[in-house]
PDB file of all heavy atoms in Angstrom:
ATOM      1  N   SER A 111     -17.781 158.041-167.563  1.00  0.00           N
ATOM      2  CA  SER A 111     -17.946 158.434-168.954  1.00  0.00           C
ATOM      3  C   SER A 111     -19.414 158.530-169.353  1.00  0.00           C
ATOM      4  O   SER A 111     -19.742 159.020-170.447  1.00  0.00           O
ATOM      5  CB  SER A 111     -17.237 157.430-169.895  1.00  0.00           C
ATOM      6  OG  SER A 111     -15.851 157.409-169.627  1.00  0.00           O
ATOM      7  N   ASP A 112     -20.289 158.027-168.504  1.00  0.00           N
ATOM      8  CA  ASP A 112     -21.731 158.051-168.788  1.00  0.00           C
ATOM      9  C   ASP A 112     -22.389 159.073-167.889  1.00  0.00           C
ATOM     10  O   ASP A 112     -22.186 159.097-166.659  1.00  0.00           O
ATOM     11  CB  ASP A 112     -22.333 156.657-168.543  1.00  0.00           C
ATOM     12  CG  ASP A 112     -23.826 156.641-168.757  1.00  0.00           C
ATOM     13  OD1 ASP A 112     -24.258 156.594-169.920  1.00  0.00           O
ATOM     14  OD2 ASP A 112     -24.558 156.689-167.742  1.00  0.00           O
ATOM     15  N   ALA A 113     -23.225 159.919-168.463  1.00  0.00           N
ATOM     16  CA  ALA A 113     -23.809 161.040-167.725  1.00  0.00           C
ATOM     17  C   ALA A 113     -24.628 160.600-166.527  1.00  0.00           C
ATOM     18  O   ALA A 113     -24.543 161.179-165.427  1.00  0.00           O
ATOM     19  CB  ALA A 113     -24.647 161.905-168.658  1.00  0.00           C
ATOM     20  N   ALA A 114     -25.453 159.557-166.686  1.00  0.00           N
ATOM     21  CA  ALA A 114     -26.325 159.125-165.616  1.00  0.00           C
ATOM     22  C   ALA A 114     -25.525 158.542-164.447  1.00  0.00           C
ATOM     23  O   ALA A 114     -25.826 158.849-163.272  1.00  0.00           O
ATOM     24  CB  ALA A 114     -27.331 158.093-166.142  1.00  0.00           C
ATOM     25  N   HIS A 115     -24.531 157.723-164.768  1.00  0.00           N
ATOM     26  CA  HIS A 115     -23.731 157.134-163.698  1.00  0.00           C
ATOM     27  C   HIS A 115     -22.876 158.197-163.006  1.00  0.00           C
ATOM     28  O   HIS A 115     -22.718 158.181-161.788  1.00  0.00           O
ATOM     29  CB  HIS A 115     -22.839 156.023-164.277  1.00  0.00           C
ATOM     30  CG  HIS A 115     -23.609 154.841-164.778  1.00  0.00           C
ATOM     31  ND1 HIS A 115     -24.101 154.793-166.048  1.00  0.00           N
ATOM     32  CD2 HIS A 115     -23.924 153.686-164.174  1.00  0.00           C
ATOM     33  CE1 HIS A 115     -24.730 153.630-166.231  1.00  0.00           C
ATOM     34  NE2 HIS A 115     -24.628 152.934-165.085  1.00  0.00           N
ATOM     35  N   ARG A 116     -22.321 159.071-163.806  1.00  0.00           N
ATOM     36  CA  ARG A 116     -21.514 160.143-163.232  1.00  0.00           C
ATOM     37  C   ARG A 116     -22.354 161.025-162.308  1.00  0.00           C
ATOM     38  O   ARG A 116     -21.871 161.461-161.234  1.00  0.00           O
ATOM     39  CB  ARG A 116     -20.940 160.998-164.374  1.00  0.00           C
ATOM     40  CG  ARG A 116     -20.045 162.156-163.896  1.00  0.00           C
ATOM     41  CD  ARG A 116     -19.577 162.993-165.066  1.00  0.00           C
ATOM     42  NE  ARG A 116     -18.800 164.130-164.644  1.00  0.00           N
ATOM     43  CZ  ARG A 116     -17.484 164.122-164.433  1.00  0.00           C
ATOM     44  NH1 ARG A 116     -16.799 162.996-164.656  1.00  0.00           N
ATOM     45  NH2 ARG A 116     -16.850 165.193-164.013  1.00  0.00           N
ATOM     46  N   ALA A 117     -23.602 161.260-162.674  1.00  0.00           N
ATOM     47  CA  ALA A 117     -24.478 162.081-161.855  1.00  0.00           C
ATOM     48  C   ALA A 117     -24.711 161.441-160.490  1.00  0.00           C
ATOM     49  O   ALA A 117     -24.805 162.143-159.479  1.00  0.00           O
ATOM     50  CB  ALA A 117     -25.800 162.312-162.551  1.00  0.00           C
ATOM     51  N   ASN A 118     -24.784 160.131-160.441  1.00  0.00           N
ATOM     52  CA  ASN A 118     -24.935 159.440-159.156  1.00  0.00           C
ATOM     53  C   ASN A 118     -23.657 159.552-158.335  1.00  0.00           C
ATOM     54  O   ASN A 118     -23.711 159.831-157.124  1.00  0.00           O
ATOM     55  CB  ASN A 118     -25.303 157.972-159.384  1.00  0.00           C
ATOM     56  CG  ASN A 118     -26.737 157.793-159.847  1.00  0.00           C
ATOM     57  OD1 ASN A 118     -27.557 158.694-159.712  1.00  0.00           O
ATOM     58  ND2 ASN A 118     -27.042 156.622-160.368  1.00  0.00           N
ATOM     59  N   VAL A 119     -22.499 159.322-158.956  1.00  0.00           N
ATOM     60  CA  VAL A 119     -21.226 159.392-158.235  1.00  0.00           C
ATOM     61  C   VAL A 119     -21.039 160.775-157.623  1.00  0.00           C
ATOM     62  O   VAL A 119     -20.547 160.895-156.498  1.00  0.00           O
ATOM     63  CB  VAL A 119     -20.058 159.052-159.178  1.00  0.00           C
ATOM     64  CG1 VAL A 119     -18.723 159.358-158.537  1.00  0.00           C
ATOM     65  CG2 VAL A 119     -20.108 157.596-159.603  1.00  0.00           C
ATOM     66  N   LEU A 120     -21.455 161.813-158.357  1.00  0.00           N
ATOM     67  CA  LEU A 120     -21.259 163.184-157.899  1.00  0.00           C
ATOM     68  C   LEU A 120     -22.539 163.784-157.310  1.00  0.00           C
ATOM     69  O   LEU A 120     -22.652 164.999-157.173  1.00  0.00           O
ATOM     70  CB  LEU A 120     -20.771 164.054-159.054  1.00  0.00           C
ATOM     71  CG  LEU A 120     -19.465 163.600-159.733  1.00  0.00           C
ATOM     72  CD1 LEU A 120     -19.091 164.565-160.839  1.00  0.00           C
ATOM     73  CD2 LEU A 120     -18.334 163.484-158.709  1.00  0.00           C
ATOM     74  N   GLY A 121     -23.505 162.937-156.979  1.00  0.00           N
ATOM     75  CA  GLY A 121     -24.801 163.411-156.525  1.00  0.00           C
ATOM     76  C   GLY A 121     -24.842 163.862-155.077  1.00  0.00           C
ATOM     77  O   GLY A 121     -23.881 163.713-154.307  1.00  0.00           O
ATOM     78  N   ASP A 122     -25.976 164.368-154.683  1.00  0.00           N
ATOM     79  CA  ASP A 122     -26.194 164.904-153.338  1.00  0.00           C
ATOM     80  C   ASP A 122     -26.593 163.750-152.414  1.00  0.00           C
ATOM     81  O   ASP A 122     -27.775 163.520-152.108  1.00  0.00           O
ATOM     82  CB  ASP A 122     -27.303 165.960-153.366  1.00  0.00           C
ATOM     83  CG  ASP A 122     -27.542 166.571-151.986  1.00  0.00           C
ATOM     84  OD1 ASP A 122     -26.661 166.432-151.115  1.00  0.00           O
ATOM     85  OD2 ASP A 122     -28.610 167.178-151.787  1.00  0.00           O
ATOM     86  N   PHE A 123     -25.569 163.004-151.974  1.00  0.00           N
ATOM     87  CA  PHE A 123     -25.794 161.864-151.102  1.00  0.00           C
ATOM     88  C   PHE A 123     -24.890 161.959-149.883  1.00  0.00           C
ATOM     89  O   PHE A 123     -23.937 162.758-149.844  1.00  0.00           O
ATOM     90  CB  PHE A 123     -25.523 160.568-151.861  1.00  0.00           C
ATOM     91  CG  PHE A 123     -26.438 160.354-153.041  1.00  0.00           C
ATOM     92  CD1 PHE A 123     -25.953 160.502-154.335  1.00  0.00           C
ATOM     93  CD2 PHE A 123     -27.776 160.050-152.857  1.00  0.00           C
ATOM     94  CE1 PHE A 123     -26.798 160.339-155.426  1.00  0.00           C
ATOM     95  CE2 PHE A 123     -28.621 159.879-153.946  1.00  0.00           C
ATOM     96  CZ  PHE A 123     -28.132 160.025-155.245  1.00  0.00           C
ATOM     97  N   ASP A 124     -25.188 161.128-148.886  1.00  0.00           N
ATOM     98  CA  ASP A 124     -24.420 161.100-147.626  1.00  0.00           C
ATOM     99  C   ASP A 124     -23.654 159.800-147.425  1.00  0.00           C
ATOM    100  O   ASP A 124     -22.571 159.814-146.855  1.00  0.00           O
ATOM    101  CB  ASP A 124     -25.353 161.308-146.415  1.00  0.00           C
ATOM    102  CG  ASP A 124     -26.163 162.573-146.499  1.00  0.00           C
ATOM    103  OD1 ASP A 124     -25.556 163.655-146.696  1.00  0.00           O
ATOM    104  OD2 ASP A 124     -27.401 162.510-146.359  1.00  0.00           O
ATOM    105  N   SER A 125     -24.228 158.688-147.865  1.00  0.00           N
ATOM    106  CA  SER A 125     -23.679 157.369-147.580  1.00  0.00           C
ATOM    107  C   SER A 125     -23.564 156.524-148.823  1.00  0.00           C
ATOM    108  O   SER A 125     -24.248 156.784-149.828  1.00  0.00           O
ATOM    109  CB  SER A 125     -24.517 156.632-146.518  1.00  0.00           C
ATOM    110  OG  SER A 125     -24.477 157.324-145.285  1.00  0.00           O
ATOM    111  N   ILE A 126     -22.722 155.502-148.731  1.00  0.00           N
ATOM    112  CA  ILE A 126     -22.478 154.619-149.878  1.00  0.00           C
ATOM    113  C   ILE A 126     -22.359 153.195-149.383  1.00  0.00           C
ATOM    114  O   ILE A 126     -21.924 152.934-148.251  1.00  0.00           O
ATOM    115  CB  ILE A 126     -21.201 155.042-150.615  1.00  0.00           C
ATOM    116  CG1 ILE A 126     -20.981 154.222-151.885  1.00  0.00           C
ATOM    117  CG2 ILE A 126     -19.969 154.916-149.697  1.00  0.00           C
ATOM    118  CD1 ILE A 126     -19.817 154.712-152.753  1.00  0.00           C
ATOM    119  N   GLY A 127     -22.755 152.265-150.210  1.00  0.00           N
ATOM    120  CA  GLY A 127     -22.537 150.838-149.974  1.00  0.00           C
ATOM    121  C   GLY A 127     -22.140 150.205-151.295  1.00  0.00           C
ATOM    122  O   GLY A 127     -22.775 150.464-152.315  1.00  0.00           O
ATOM    123  N   ALA A 128     -21.087 149.416-151.303  1.00  0.00           N
ATOM    124  CA  ALA A 128     -20.594 148.816-152.529  1.00  0.00           C
ATOM    125  C   ALA A 128     -20.518 147.298-152.402  1.00  0.00           C
ATOM    126  O   ALA A 128     -20.207 146.774-151.330  1.00  0.00           O
ATOM    127  CB  ALA A 128     -19.219 149.385-152.892  1.00  0.00           C
TER     128      ALA A 128
END
Side-chain angles (χ1 to χ4, degrees):
S111 298
D112 177 79
H115 294 85
R116 180 183 177 88
N118 287 343
V119 170
L120 303 180
D122 181 18
F123 299 107
D124 303 308
S125 296
I126 186 173

